[in-house]
Amino acid sequence: MTPAELSRTVLHAVRRAVDAGELDVTVPERAVVGPPGPGGCGDYATNIALRLARPAGQPPYRVAEVLRPYLVGVDGVADVVLTGPGFLNISLGGAAPAALVEEIRSAGTRYGYADGPDGRIVRLHCPYDLRAVVVAEVAARVLRSQGALVRVTAEGFDPEWTAVLGVRTDGVGPAPASLPANVRPVPAPADPLPLGRDAARWALLHPAAHDRPRVGEEHLAQREGNPLFRVRYAHARTRALTRNAADLGFEGLPGPVQRQDLLAVLGDHPRVLAAAAEHRAPDRLARHLVAVADAALPFLTTVLPRGGEKPSAAHRARLALAEAAGTVLAGGLTLLGIDAPDHL
């Protein structure tokens, strides 16, 4: 069961509880599922009971107790444990890794995107500042991935920003009185353009908006201490594994893989995109890509057969998971406007 499917399963459980008269609430449009927090367990957790407690007129833990039986009997759900004030911690069956990888393979770099426009119209306006323009442009890309229609304008614009960083807006000039500048990250302390497109964009996007970015040559370093290098290197390694596997005569095929750290961050990708869109915070996506790379890199060394070992179903499943990680990294880098090279 994929995170999207699990979200729908949670909503279906709420609907069944309402139909049975055990809850008197309006079924929400979506249920957030993600990795369990401190004190949690299982593969995923949801706070749906806490969200429904007030409209239901019941304590969150009691709402969770009502919902638990409607989840435990569902195909793909192995167990549901209640923790804290009312979190539902869900353990999935063994098919979950294969289903997640298949979902990523099917969606490609659009994994985590909304199915289509959702009717939201968002206007982003920023001051005459390079970092603000870059953040606004990428925030708009992420918002569009989640179904919003977005227009980006700036109070001023330097054509060199497009020439070097490829950044663009939909208009330049003062905003209407009803729309003050609503994208105002802390400006960069120096000109990042000498870093070039990819490193400069990363330097401006990776820190949170309230943090002052560093624009030194550390973003160009080809070493593990550079987060941008780790992300792009992890992506390139996944592409190399696909090429090397082809030379050995096998392809990736989704199957069970015991790699919960990597599966968790890949499954969390849709939630991260939604949160980055909601908060106009592309730094959340950038840091998530670092988490994906850090979970993937140790795993990538285990994918291919060693010595005289012949490719097996386990190798095919590992390769499929590695390729899924590469797909998520490529999609995220593309949203940030950064190249995802196949060779590095």
Side-chain angles (χ1 to χ4, degrees):
M1 185 181 298
T2 67
E5 291 171 336
L6 181 57
S7 176
R8 292 192 290 269
T9 297
V10 172
L11 290 179
H12 184 59
V14 175
R15 190 171 293 110
R16 291 173 62 195
V18 170
D19 292 343
E22 295 190 67
L23 288 178
D24 184 13
V25 297
T26 300
V27 180
E29 294 184 359
R30 63 190 296 259
V32 176
V33 298
C41 58
D43 298 301
Y44 294 99
T46 177
N47 67 346
I48 190 70
L50 282 73
R51 291 177 53 197
L52 297 178
R54 183 182 294 274
Q58 300 186 46
Y61 200 88
R62 174 55 189 156
V63 175
E65 288 179 323
V66 170
L67 294 177
R68 183 181 182 277
Y70 293 102
L71 287 167
V72 170
V74 175
D75 288 343
V77 174
D79 193 17
V80 179
V81 176
L82 309 187
T83 60
F87 291 102
L88 291 152
N89 296 263
I90 303 169
S91 297
L92 301 178
L100 173 60
V101 171
E102 188 57 54
E103 180 184 11
I104 297 172
R105 285 162 65 100
S106 176
T109 54
R110 294 178 65 84
Y111 167 61
Y113 280 34
D115 294 333
D118 61 9
R120 284 180 298 162
I121 299 176
V122 179
R123 175 80 180 271
L124 302 179
H125 186 72
C126 49
Y128 177 46
D129 172 69
L130 175 56
R131 188 186 185 202
V133 172
V134 171
V135 169
E137 182 214 44
V138 175
R141 293 186 189 189
V142 179
L143 277 159
R144 292 180 187 120
S145 80
Q146 301 304 296
L149 298 175
V150 190
R151 177 175 171 81
V152 178
T153 55
E155 294 175 1
F157 192 87
D158 188 330
E160 190 177 13
W161 298 350
T162 299
V164 179
L165 301 189
V167 66
R168 291 176 172 81
T169 65
D170 300 307
V172 178
S178 60
L179 182 70
N182 55 10
V183 180
R184 303 185 69 94
V186 174
D191 183 7
L193 294 183
L195 295 176
R197 174 172 177 152
D198 293 336
R201 277 180 169 267
W202 182 267
L204 298 175
L205 293 167
H206 181 252
H210 57 267
D211 291 332
R212 186 173 298 279
R214 295 178 299 171
V215 292
E217 293 187 355
E218 66 268 22
H219 298 293
L220 299 173
Q222 302 290 295
R223 58 173 181 262
E224 290 186 1
N226 178 3
L228 174 59
F229 171 76
R230 294 204 305 277
V231 170
R232 300 174 82 204
Y233 177 68
H235 171 265
R237 288 286 298 124
T238 66
R239 296 300 184 250
L241 288 172
T242 298
R243 295 191 298 270
N244 294 338
D247 292 340
L248 295 173
F250 76 99
E251 299 177 346
L253 181 65
V257 181
Q258 295 301 317
R259 196 69 197 211
Q260 292 304 317
D261 56 343
L262 180 54
L263 290 164
V265 290
L266 295 181
D268 201 34
H269 187 65
R271 184 196 64 79
V272 171
L273 288 182
E278 179 181 357
H279 297 283
R280 295 15 171 195
D283 58 284
R284 297 190 180 205
L285 172 58
R287 291 195 297 273
H288 175 66
L289 296 182
V290 176
V292 172
D294 288 346
L297 283 168
F299 167 71
L300 299 182
T301 62
T302 71
V303 171
L304 296 180
R306 297 184 178 183
E309 190 179 12
K310 293 185 178 180
S312 65
H315 293 113
R316 293 182 177 88
R318 291 176 202 150
L319 177 60
L321 177 56
E323 291 172 335
T327 297
V328 168
L329 292 171
L333 286 170
T334 298
L335 281 174
L336 297 178
I338 295 173
D339 184 39
D342 288 351
H343 302 269
L344 193 63

